Amino acid sequence: MTTIAEKGFIQRVDGLGKRYGDTWALRECTFALKPGQVTALVGANGAGKSTLLTILAGLLPPDAGKVDTAGRVAFVAQDKPLYKNFTAAEMFRLARNLNAVWEQDRAERWLRTFGVRADRPCGRLSGGQQAHVALAMAVAARPDLLLLDEPLSNLDPLVRREVTAELLADSAESGMAIMLSTHVITEVSGVAENLILLAGGKLLLSGETDDLLAKHVFHVGPGSEVLVGDNRPPPDGWITRPATLEDIVLSNLASARDGGAA
Amino acid sequence: MIWIVWRQHRTAIVSTAVLAVAIIVFLIAFGNGFFYRGGWYLDYVPLDPAWKLAPSALGLAVAVFWAAPLIGREYEQRTYLVAWGQDVSLHRWLVRKVLLLAAAAVALSVIVGVIAGGLVDQHTPSRFSFAAFEADPAIQAAHTLFGFAVGLAFSALLRRTLLAMGATLVVVLAAHGLYVVKLRERIIPRSTRSAHGKNPVTRINDRSQTVRGMSTAGMPTRRANRSRSPLRRRRNAGGPVPRPPRPSA
């Protein structure tokens, strides 16, 4: 098996497509995920984020294109499914039995950090606590790539920040790449090094966030402002202001909707 | 993996084991009939032959409660995203789980078959009699494996637990009914020797009954006695059958 160092990426996606009946949920997606990078997968509801992540996790076969995987992948699904009659400790035992690598200490430390009891059945834990059990299982398996489908949706704002910090620390320590999907752009601002923007199953935008921010500016004129992505000079009488990640995402989504991205 | 299978299915396994014990106790207590106290007298009531299908209930329980929810429940509760998202591949996960559960199910049904077969054999001399044949460990294992396969197939196809359980129940019952009513008589030889090897037996697949400890299995049936052929009548009656004269050299 070719290693990540030889290939230079953990996963490379080439022309990926998935169809449900006559509808393409995902079309012509091409990108690569490199070690240690945090990638934000952004898109409106129904954009194809969960489909893409499920394919990357190897749980759904694509109908077009291919996925080249060089490392171990862990996946935390959107609704954080767990065996409801298993305790968190039993879920860890299950994961220990099914994974080649498992760090029990890391899993237990995660639960202690966020105050989740390991001896209660998962079905009796709150949504947020269940999310912690799922995240602890994924992190303790020490994957090369961690795929998280809206991981912060069940958590309160303070815990979101703490979870993000924990994940970033793990990524920095072990070189684990993270891809997290969200439709709340502020969650990933300042966190994600890469951005992948999906709309109607198509890849609208892909690249490093620093590059995207450097390229995109607003041209502000009398009564209007226009986002441009090629650093061209503003018209006479107009001024330029920097764009945020949210500006870039929202502007692209709006133009995709108005232009009929589907 | 053994721990995972046990932890996930322990309720079903324990319940089925309890059912197995109940079947064994039932067969020990009322294997052929029961005494009924009707006032001052004690009457013996033979059991309906249908009760002799009791050991097969184990195979049905395995099909409906073990196999039918196996994959459907994972899809329904979306836990396949956890189970199949680990390092162990889906195929290995499924093969190991199916093999372990099938082995446990077969072991249970063989135990019930051995005990039930032993009980039935005390009263029926022929292993091809209705009760003895049904209680045979190999037949029990075959029933269980067939039910398991049907349940697993419905579980994978329908991906809904209740629907798969219902479909499995109907199909396994229908297949068993078809086998008992139609096919069983065709696959069992019409004439064979008794378990003792001495008395020739006709129509072994008759529904033998045991009344007050006496078995009617192996006895010539009324239909056999109606035979017009004197040779066949004598053979049916268990008498000596004259050999055809040898051609002289």
Side-chain angles (χ1 to χ4, degrees):
Chain A
M1 187 180 170
T2 318
T3 62
I4 299 166
E6 286 168 8
K7 288 196 171 182
F9 59 83
I10 299 171
Q11 260 188 344
R12 190 172 61 194
V13 171
D14 192 12
L16 199 70
K18 181 68 190 174
R19 191 172 54 188
Y20 294 114
D22 293 335
T23 311
W24 283 93
L26 209 60
R27 282 178 297 177
E28 298 155 20
C29 287
T30 301
F31 58 86
L33 300 171
K34 293 176 182 170
Q37 286 190 336
V38 178
T39 304
L41 179 62
V42 182
N45 290 327
K49 303 188 296 290
S50 295
T51 300
L52 176 59
L53 288 174
T54 314
I55 293 172
L56 295 183
L59 295 168
L60 197 64
D63 289 321
K66 62 173 186 176
V67 181
D68 191 357
T69 306
R72 293 173 57 246
V73 180
F75 176 49
V76 178
Q78 189 174 4
D79 43 2
K80 322 292 178 305
L82 299 167
Y83 291 107
K84 302 294 180 202
N85 57 343
F86 278 40
T87 63
E90 285 172 332
M91 286 304 300
F92 291 165
R93 189 170 174 187
L94 178 135
R96 192 168 67 224
N97 276 288
L98 297 178
N99 283 294
V101 182
W102 177 258
E103 289 185 6
Q104 183 72 17
D105 288 351
R106 182 72 191 97
E108 287 171 358
R109 201 168 66 238
W110 187 290
L111 290 196
R112 275 199 305 275
T113 304
F114 295 101
V116 180
R117 283 178 59 180
D119 59 348
R120 293 193 78 179
C122 293
R124 290 172 61 190
L125 296 174
S126 70
Q129 289 173 324
Q130 287 182 24
H132 281 304
V133 175
L135 285 166
M137 277 176 67
V139 167
R142 285 288 177 209
D144 299 305
L145 171 62
L146 180 57
L147 301 169
L148 304 169
D149 195 357
E150 305 203 8
L152 311 174
S153 57
N154 290 331
L155 306 174
D156 61 67
L158 185 62
V159 177
R160 282 181 193 197
R161 189 182 291 181
E162 290 170 359
V163 166
T164 308
E166 283 279 334
L167 290 172
L168 290 178
D170 264 14
S171 174
E173 183 193 325
S174 64
M176 172 178 74
I178 299 172
M179 187 183 203
L180 69 161
S181 77
T182 183
H183 53 260
V184 184
I185 302 118
T186 48
E187 276 181 359
V188 291
S189 295
V191 173
E193 297 158 274
N194 287 306
L195 180 81
I196 293 173
L197 180 60
L198 285 178
K202 284 185 85 173
L203 199 68
L204 275 188
L205 200 63
S206 170
E208 292 187 11
T209 48
D210 287 346
D211 281 354
L212 292 172
L213 288 170
K215 275 185 193 169
H216 288 79
V217 287
F218 271 107
H219 290 174
V220 184
S224 68
E225 58 178 16
V226 179
L227 180 77
V228 292
D230 52 5
N231 272 336
R232 83 178 90 126
D236 288 342
W238 289 48
I239 58 161
T240 300
R241 74 164 177 86
T244 63
L245 209 56
E246 194 169 5
D247 292 331
I248 297 168
V249 167
L250 291 178
S251 175
N252 274 281
L253 286 177
S255 55
R257 187 190 59 198
D258 298 340
Chain B
M1 197 69 192
I2 292 173
W3 176 82
I4 295 172
V5 170
W6 165 249
R7 180 62 189 85
Q8 273 191 290
H9 302 276
R10 63 185 181 188
T11 310
I13 292 170
V14 169
S15 306
T16 313
V18 168
L19 176 69
V21 171
I23 290 170
I24 290 166
V25 169
F26 170 80
L27 287 172
I28 290 170
F30 311 112
N32 294 288
F34 58 93
F35 285 98
Y36 170 72
R37 183 180 289 279
W40 56 271
Y41 62 92
L42 203 60
D43 198 8
Y44 187 80
V45 182
L47 276 182
D48 188 279
W51 282 106
K52 287 168 183 167
L53 287 171
S56 304
L58 197 70
L60 188 66
V62 165
V64 173
F65 296 106
W66 293 27
L70 197 65
I71 298 172
R73 188 174 289 159
E74 300 281 356
Y75 275 109
E76 229 169 38
Q77 300 179 353
R78 291 178 55 78
T79 44
Y80 74 98
L81 294 168
V82 179
W84 306 344
Q86 312 296 323
D87 286 347
V88 170
S89 68
L90 161 63
H91 292 108
R92 277 181 70 184
W93 178 89
L94 191 60
V95 166
R96 285 183 190 184
K97 209 168 181 184
V98 166
L99 284 180
L100 282 169
L101 281 173
V106 166
L108 259 181
S109 52
V110 165
I111 290 169
V112 170
V114 165
I115 297 171
L119 291 168
V120 170
D121 279 348
Q122 292 171 1
H123 305 290
T124 50
S126 167
R127 65 188 292 265
F128 288 108
S129 72
F130 182 72
F133 189 76
E134 280 300 310
D136 190 277
I139 298 296
Q140 280 304 308
H143 280 324
T144 303
L145 279 179
F146 170 72
F148 195 94
V150 170
L152 193 64
F154 275 124
S155 191
L157 286 171
L158 300 173
R159 297 185 181 187
R160 289 283 176 274
T161 308
L162 273 178
L163 207 58
M165 287 169 85
T168 304
L169 180 72
V170 169
V171 169
V172 171
L173 275 179
H176 205 107
L178 188 72
Y179 148 77
V180 167
V181 174
K182 290 278 182 193
L183 298 178
R184 193 178 152 274
E185 290 203 356
R186 293 186 184 195
I187 59 174
I188 294 175
R190 292 180 68 81
S191 176
T192 185
R193 284 188 169 273
S194 73
H196 303 294
K198 288 177 183 173
N199 299 321
V201 177
T202 56
R203 285 194 62 82
I204 297 304
N205 47 0
D206 62 338
R207 292 189 168 189
S208 59
Q209 287 191 358
T210 305
V211 181
R212 293 179 191 273
M214 287 176 59
S215 171
T216 59
M219 289 184 179
T221 60
R222 193 182 299 166
R223 184 178 164 186
N225 281 337
R226 279 208 304 265
S227 173
R228 290 183 179 177
S229 160
L231 187 65
R232 191 175 293 168
R233 214 159 43 210
R234 191 176 295 180
R235 187 187 291 143
N236 290 344
V241 180
R243 293 185 173 200
R246 286 187 179 181
S248 55

